[in-house]
Amino acid sequence: MPRPTQPKLSRDAIARAALALIDRDGSQGASIRRVADRLKVHPTSLYNHVPNLAALVEDVRALVSARIDSSYLREREWEEGLLLWARSYRDAFRRHPKTIPLLMSQSSSAPLLMSQYEDFAIAAERVGWSSDDILPLLTAFESFIIGSVLDMTGPSVMFDPSGQEQDVPRFAAAYATLSSHDPADPVATRAFELGLSLLIAGARPRPSV
């Protein structure tokens, strides 16, 4: 029988198999043995391509993060670049929300991610932020974006004042307005856009007095 022209395994194929398992099973899917079972190979075969589990997690991170478009930060004005970058960031993780707990469990040095962060740092410094401000500023945006993704993984509405209208009339009136919005997403996306606009409104450094 002739040998196959393409190898059965590749680092990309292993990462995609791991991502599929994580999408289905959460962090428990990130297991060398389970990925090997999915690919129908012996676990030791994976180590010819991926040195360890931490490296596999980084490969999964790179797959998810590849959809984040940081070119907006280089090519657009600061506020518009932030808006479009943040939307692409949220969209990337909205496709794979179960990766978030796993990816938050270890630090990253993935070249793709570092390149995106470099774009953020350059754009932030261009409008006057100092090097000392870059990580807090980036973390503020990332915390908000990731939090928005996690908000979409729970119930579409986290609260219900029904039966308490006399005690909380203004909140009950606000809750009643949800009936005029998309029942599948009555709050999360609108909250994201509102919160993002508030963050961006304050995203330039204040001039020193």
Side-chain angles (χ1 to χ4, degrees), residues 139-160:
T139 301
F141 273 91
E142 286 193 319
S143 297
F144 172 73
I145 295 166
I146 294 299
S148 176
V149 175
L150 292 175
D151 187 40
M152 296 192 74
T153 65
S156 60
V157 182
M158 294 296 297
F159 27 71
D160 185 354

Side-chain angles (χ1 to χ4, degrees), residues 110-181:
L112 172 66
L113 199 60
M114 296 303 101
S115 175
Q116 293 172 351
Y117 288 161
E118 178 72 0
D119 287 338
F120 184 94
I122 291 172
E125 289 181 345
R126 193 167 58 229
V127 297
W129 291 103
S130 70
S131 293
D132 191 50
D133 295 319
I134 299 300
L135 290 182
L137 182 65
L138 174 63
T139 301
F141 273 91
E142 286 193 319
S143 297
F144 172 73
I145 295 166
I146 294 299
S148 176
V149 175
L150 292 175
D151 187 40
M152 296 192 74
T153 65
S156 60
V157 182
M158 294 296 297
F159 27 71
D160 185 354
S162 299
Q164 303 177 61
E165 288 84 357
Q166 290 186 344
D167 297 324
V168 289
R170 300 317 311 146
F171 184 69
Y175 177 80
T177 67
L178 297 180
S179 62
S180 62
H181 294 281

Side-chain angles (χ1 to χ4, degrees), residues 17-27 29 34 38 96 98:
L19 179 57
L21 287 169
I22 296 165
D23 283 343
R24 189 187 71 188
D25 302 328
S27 297
R34 295 188 69 180
R38 182 179 181 88
H96 307 285
K98 290 184 180 180

Side-chain angles (χ1 to χ4, degrees), residues 8-9 33 35-46:
K8 186 173 184 180
L9 287 180
R33 180 170 294 279
V35 173
D37 287 345
R38 182 179 181 88
L39 293 170
K40 297 180 173 57
V41 298
H42 194 275
T44 56
S45 299
L46 269 61

Side-chain angles (χ1 to χ4, degrees), residues 8 43 53 82 93 99 118 144 151 171 196 200 203:
K8 186 173 184 180
L53 181 58
L82 281 173
F93 277 89
T99 65
E118 178 72 0
F144 172 73
D151 187 40
F171 184 69
L196 183 58
I200 292 174

Side-chain angles (χ1 to χ4, degrees), residues 63-136:
L63 280 178
V64 178
S65 299
R67 289 184 173 273
I68 300 173
D69 191 347
S70 63
S71 68
Y72 296 123
L73 296 168
R74 297 193 308 269
E75 299 167 0
R76 307 293 180 93
E77 290 297 319
W78 175 234
E79 286 81 5
E80 183 185 11
L82 281 173
L83 176 69
L84 297 174
W85 164 76
R87 285 175 176 169
S88 75
Y89 198 137
R90 180 176 183 257
D91 185 60
F93 277 89
R94 184 174 61 178
R95 297 168 182 265
H96 307 285
K98 290 184 180 180
T99 65
I100 292 174
L102 178 65
L103 299 183
M104 294 295 288
S105 69
Q106 70 178 50
S107 60
S108 174
S109 58
L112 172 66
L113 199 60
M114 296 303 101
S115 175
Q116 293 172 351
Y117 288 161
E118 178 72 0
D119 287 338
F120 184 94
I122 291 172
E125 289 181 345
R126 193 167 58 229
V127 297
W129 291 103
S130 70
S131 293
D132 191 50
D133 295 319
I134 299 300
L135 290 182

